[in-house]
Amino acid sequence: MIGQKLKLARKAAGLSLRQLQDKIGNRVTAQAIGKYERNESVPSSPVLIALAEALAVSVDYLLGDQDLSLDRVEFRKKSVLSRKEKARLEAKTIDRLERYLLVEELLGLQSIEWDRPLGAPYAVTVPSEAETVAIRTREHWGLGTDPIPDLAELAEERGIKVLSLQFEDHVDGLTADVYRPDKPPLPVIMVNARHWGERQRFTLAHELGHILMQPLDDKNATERSAHRFAGAFLMPAEALWAEIGMHRTSFGMGELVQLKKVFRVSLQALTYRFLDLGIITRSVFKEMFGYFSQQNYRTPPYKEPGALPPDSEEPLRFQRLCFRALAEEAISEAKCAELLGISARQLQQEMGESQSV
């Protein structure tokens, strides 16, 4: 039955029933499409093809039986999201996950088991306790105190599905548990592919904090805890102290930009970390943020000196699996392009001159 898939694809496209009716040239009414989504009736083959084309999916996708749902969905955003926006973001996340899990299935792979640190999700009572959670997580994953060069790759190696999708600027990302029939839940993190690389890294670390810590009663405190975790995970105290010392009264931009290159975080994230560790006073913190505001680093497009390009933190495992499936002839070029959500021409460009050997 296509109901769930059709509704999911429509929400991912951000279309109402009436808008979808218009997009398929009024072949059927919005009421009829609603019946398809409720599995009260089945579209004819011509209508099914028209629906697939209008929603930029394949007929096979609409007829597929993958059954996923999201739970404990947390959005990182700068403004209130409408119910329609939330539904569209969740639908896009599920759509990409279905493609990801399908290519794993085609290759006969099991999803990498989630390497949950012992005791997680941890209970914290105040945001400062997130510091300990970051330390425990680094210890469990054997990371030491070195900066993390590729956070998306690390998360995927630990069994967290990481998706990079393009959304409006006011949405940084989301985290959720993915439920599949008769299988354990998977954690998933989505980041906004439009953002600078350092913003994506902080969002990814922030959402990892949500996965690893139990929420507090106060939502603002929960967000501050995730922020504190992200800062501590990306910039361990020992590593930062070794670079700049334990107490400072000022910083030059040259030094800050070099630190940014070391830890691959924003100038603002660095400054918050200085304050959390007591390296600077609140008055110095305010002075630094005043300067950032004057330079427009805190307003769209949020570009700072030494900004990391948006694709610098792009998760690549899904793409690698698609190309592997193509090389092993588990899928056709057309299917590979469909899974990746690109055109056949774009696929050829991605493949370049490489050939199977």
Side-chain angles (χ1 to χ4, degrees), residues 1-76:
M1 304 296 281
I2 73 165
Q4 182 179 352
K5 283 297 193 67
L6 178 60
K7 186 174 183 179
L8 185 69
R10 177 176 63 79
K11 286 186 174 182
L15 298 175
S16 66
L17 290 169
R18 180 72 65 182
Q19 288 170 327
L20 182 53
Q21 172 190 319
D22 294 340
K23 201 164 183 181
I24 63 171
N26 298 300
R27 286 174 178 265
V28 294
T29 65
Q31 289 80 5
I33 297 172
K35 287 185 177 180
Y36 302 154
E37 291 186 354
R38 296 190 296 274
N39 290 317
E40 294 175 359
S41 64
V42 179
S44 65
S45 293
V47 171
L48 181 61
I49 293 170
L51 289 168
E53 290 178 350
L55 296 171
V57 298
S58 68
V59 171
D60 286 345
Y61 170 81
L62 291 178
L63 295 174
D65 58 2
Q66 185 76 266
D67 186 14
L68 303 182
S69 61
L70 300 183
D71 189 30
R72 294 204 317 144
V73 180
E74 292 284 344
F75 290 93
R76 187 171 182 228

Side-chain angles (χ1 to χ4, degrees), residues 24-274:
I24 63 171
N26 298 300
R27 286 174 178 265
V28 294
T29 65
Q31 289 80 5
I33 297 172
K35 287 185 177 180
Y36 302 154
E37 291 186 354
R38 296 190 296 274
N39 290 317
E40 294 175 359
S41 64
V42 179
S44 65
S45 293
V47 171
L48 181 61
I49 293 170
L51 289 168
E53 290 178 350
L55 296 171
V57 298
S58 68
V59 171
D60 286 345
Y61 170 81
L62 291 178
L63 295 174
D65 58 2
Q66 185 76 266
D67 186 14
L68 303 182
S69 61
L70 300 183
D71 189 30
R72 294 204 317 144
V73 180
E74 292 284 344
F75 290 93
R76 187 171 182 228
K77 57 193 185 302
K78 289 183 168 55
S79 58
V80 175
L81 293 177
S82 68
R83 183 178 298 178
K84 182 177 179 180
E85 282 183 302
K86 288 182 178 180
R88 185 170 65 86
L89 294 176
E90 291 182 22
K92 276 186 169 290
T93 300
I94 291 176
D95 173 60
R96 178 60 67 85
L97 276 169
E98 287 187 333
R99 297 166 191 255
Y100 200 145
L101 296 175
L102 175 59
V103 75
E104 286 186 333
E105 181 181 323
L106 290 170
L107 288 169
L109 302 175
Q110 294 291 327
S111 291
I112 298 173
E113 186 177 352
W114 159 224
D115 186 9
R116 184 192 303 273
L118 185 64
Y122 301 101
V124 296
T125 57
V126 292
S128 60
E129 292 178 359
E131 194 89 23
T132 302
V133 176
I135 293 171
R136 287 183 180 178
T137 303
R138 274 182 163 267
E139 288 176 348
H140 179 81
W141 288 349
L143 302 178
T145 59
D146 292 335
I148 300 169
D150 192 333
L151 184 55
E153 194 76 12
L154 170 68
E156 293 240 281
E157 287 173 356
R158 303 299 172 174
I160 300 170
K161 290 290 187 284
V162 181
L163 311 177
S164 179
L165 303 172
Q166 293 194 356
F167 295 121
E168 293 77 6
D169 189 69
H170 63 280
V171 179
D172 287 302
L174 67 79
T175 183
D177 287 332
V178 183
Y179 283 87
R180 304 166 290 170
D182 304 319
K183 293 182 180 178
L186 286 171
V188 58
I189 296 175
M190 181 278 290
V191 296
N192 193 331
R194 296 180 186 274
H195 290 171
W196 298 108
E198 60 267 35
R199 285 187 68 190
Q200 292 186 41
R201 282 172 61 84
F202 196 86
T203 295
L204 183 49
H206 175 100
E207 300 302 339
L208 179 59
H210 279 302
I211 292 173
L212 292 168
M213 294 183 293
Q214 298 175 22
L216 284 77
D217 292 335
D218 180 353
K219 186 167 180 60
N220 288 332
T222 298
E223 289 302 303
R224 290 198 303 274
S225 296
H227 270 61
R228 184 66 180 261
F229 171 87
F233 192 70
L234 293 172
M235 298 166 277
E238 293 85 351
L240 204 52
W241 288 331
E243 291 284 343
I244 63 173
M246 300 186 71
H247 298 288
R248 295 285 295 271
T249 57
S250 64
F251 286 91
M253 278 301 297
E255 182 182 12
L256 288 175
V257 171
Q258 290 304 312
L259 286 170
K260 176 174 182 163
K261 291 179 180 179
V262 171
F263 293 100
R264 296 171 63 81
V265 296
S266 70
L267 302 177
Q268 295 171 68
L270 276 167
T271 307
Y272 268 111
R273 188 65 176 145
F274 298 161

